[in-house]
Amino acid sequence: MTATIRDLVHLGLVMDTGKASTTGGRPASLLGFDRSAVLMTLLSFTDHRLTASQIDLSGHELVRIVRDVKHLDTPGVLTEALHTLSAAAAKPSRCVAVSLPGVVAADGSVSSAPAVGLKSSMELRSHLGEVTGLPVLIENDVNLLALGEAARGAAKDRDDVGLVYIGAGIGGAVVREGKIEPGATRSAGEIGFLPYGGVWAAPGDTEGPFEREWSLAAVNARLIRDGLDWESVTAATPVVDAALDAWSYAALVTCCVADPATIVFAGDVCELPQGVLDELTRRVTSRSPHPVDVAFAWLGQGGVAAGVVELVSSNAELFLPDPSPTNHLYP
């Protein structure tokens, strides 16, 4: 144990925090994990934008840069962003974490992520590993939001959480005992592909019919078409009433299949008027076949960083070794 602690102190991961009280004899030294000592590069794709940042294990952001990836060569943008970030960073990162809206296979290949310009089966992990020389973790953005909200947000200390994301797109995730349930093909939670109103996804669709019709962006377009906005409507307004039925349906499917203790709604839906959110809560809790709590995410995009911290913390082998000496971006 002494040798292990000495190694962790040498790596800068553990520090002396003082002395324990004693009733006699030499007081024991108190040690603590220095969460600011482990830095990670976080690449987050949202709405055709890439945000590259460096965070520590407290989720504190040290450096951030933003790039537009619409209609551009995504691997090239990634490489440039990583070079720029490394030049701005005062200390090296120990791993790279990627958050994106898409299905990520265990080997790092990506599918169903047209919103960020990633081609199907692009081996993102290999590309980033070659560029940085660092270990790489890639995860679906909604999965990370669910991890973050379960660990530090609206569902803190809940063992079983189902998250329904409603924003520019629609997605879902289930967290059990602090871990994501990925499914056999890591496609669990793709509720945007649910059939609804007699409409089914067609083979090869990269966007599901439920997402296409009931994302917040689609509902907003209907409101604008009718000359309405969220300040002028109530839960009884036909467009809003239909949207609440659709969104509660997504939550109820999650309840029936995964039986979570808590449903967390995340995304821009959380910014809607309180009366609308209250009615959404009522429809879920009153129609669920078993008791379920409903909460609304409050970490925002910070939920992704919190999720990354949880993911990396459960993969300690990524940051315990010293960074690769051959790494040309983070020497």
Side-chain angles (χ1 to χ4, degrees):
M1 180 63 73
T2 300
T4 299
I5 291 174
R6 187 182 298 116
D7 289 342
L8 292 173
V9 171
H10 176 71
L11 288 170
L13 302 177
V14 170
M15 59 183 178
D16 192 326
T17 60
K19 300 293 183 181
S21 59
T22 178
T23 57
R26 188 173 67 178
S29 296
L30 297 176
L31 299 172
F33 182 64
D34 185 359
R35 301 184 73 84
S36 67
V38 178
L39 304 182
M40 304 168 288
T41 293
L42 170 58
L43 302 173
S44 181
F45 290 93
T46 55
D47 299 328
H48 299 292
R49 287 189 178 274
L50 165 67
T51 300
S53 57
Q54 189 182 56
I55 63 174
D56 63 20
L57 278 185
S58 294
H60 176 66
E61 187 178 78
L62 287 78
V63 185
R64 171 192 285 196
I65 62 170
V66 179
R67 295 289 182 268
D68 188 351
V69 295
K70 189 175 182 179
H71 305 309
L72 295 178
D73 172 50
T74 299
V77 174
L78 280 168
T79 302
E80 183 276 331
L82 286 165
H83 278 286
T84 303
L85 186 70
S86 68
K91 295 181 179 180
S93 291
R94 293 178 179 267
C95 67
V96 178
V98 183
S99 164
L100 55 82
V103 177
V104 183
D107 64 357
S109 59
V110 178
S111 62
S112 301
V116 295
L118 292 175
K119 297 178 180 178
S120 179
S121 298
M122 172 187 170
E123 293 186 0
L124 189 59
R125 178 178 293 164
S126 297
H127 175 76
L128 293 175
E130 291 173 2
V131 171
T132 65
L134 295 177
V136 178
L137 279 174
I138 306 176
E139 187 53 89
N140 173 269
D141 55 352
V142 177
N143 285 350
L144 290 171
L145 280 174
L147 277 176
E149 291 292 340
R152 303 185 179 191
K156 186 177 180 181
D157 300 326
R158 297 297 182 96
D159 288 335
D160 295 291
V161 178
L163 183 136
V164 176
Y165 178 90
I166 301 171
I170 290 179
V174 174
V175 177
R176 292 198 186 281
E177 297 182 354
K179 295 186 180 299
I180 287 291
E181 294 278 2
T185 64
R186 295 190 59 82
S187 299
E190 291 294 318
I191 58 176
F193 285 87
L194 284 170
Y196 189 71
V199 181
W200 300 72
D205 278 357
T206 57
E207 180 186 40
F210 189 76
E211 178 177 270
R212 187 164 51 246
E213 293 297 318
W214 298 108
S215 69
L216 189 57
V219 174
N220 285 343
R222 291 189 182 93
L223 288 174
I224 292 171
R225 179 197 62 196
D226 295 344
L228 300 171
D229 58 36
W230 287 104
E231 297 302 320
S232 62
V233 300
T234 68
T237 303
V239 173
V240 179
D241 179 61
L244 290 174
D245 267 348
W247 297 341
S248 61
Y249 166 76
L252 290 168
V253 168
T254 304
C255 287
C256 291
V257 174
D259 189 23
T262 303
I263 286 287
V264 175
F265 284 98
D268 293 335
V269 69
C270 298
E271 304 302 319
L272 297 184
Q274 188 60 49
V276 172
L277 300 185
D278 289 343
E279 177 60 17
L280 180 56
T281 299
R282 188 195 69 78
R283 294 191 191 193
V284 174
T285 55
S286 66
R287 297 171 181 176
S288 174
H290 53 74
V292 63
D293 293 330
V294 174
F296 293 88
W298 51 267
L299 291 177
Q301 280 304 308
V304 170
V308 166
V309 168
E310 292 303 307
L311 190 64
V312 171
S313 296
S314 63
N315 289 271
E317 68 277 4
L318 291 174
F319 58 83
L320 283 174
D322 284 318
S324 169
T326 61
N327 172 20
H328 59 281
L329 279 182
Y330 298 89

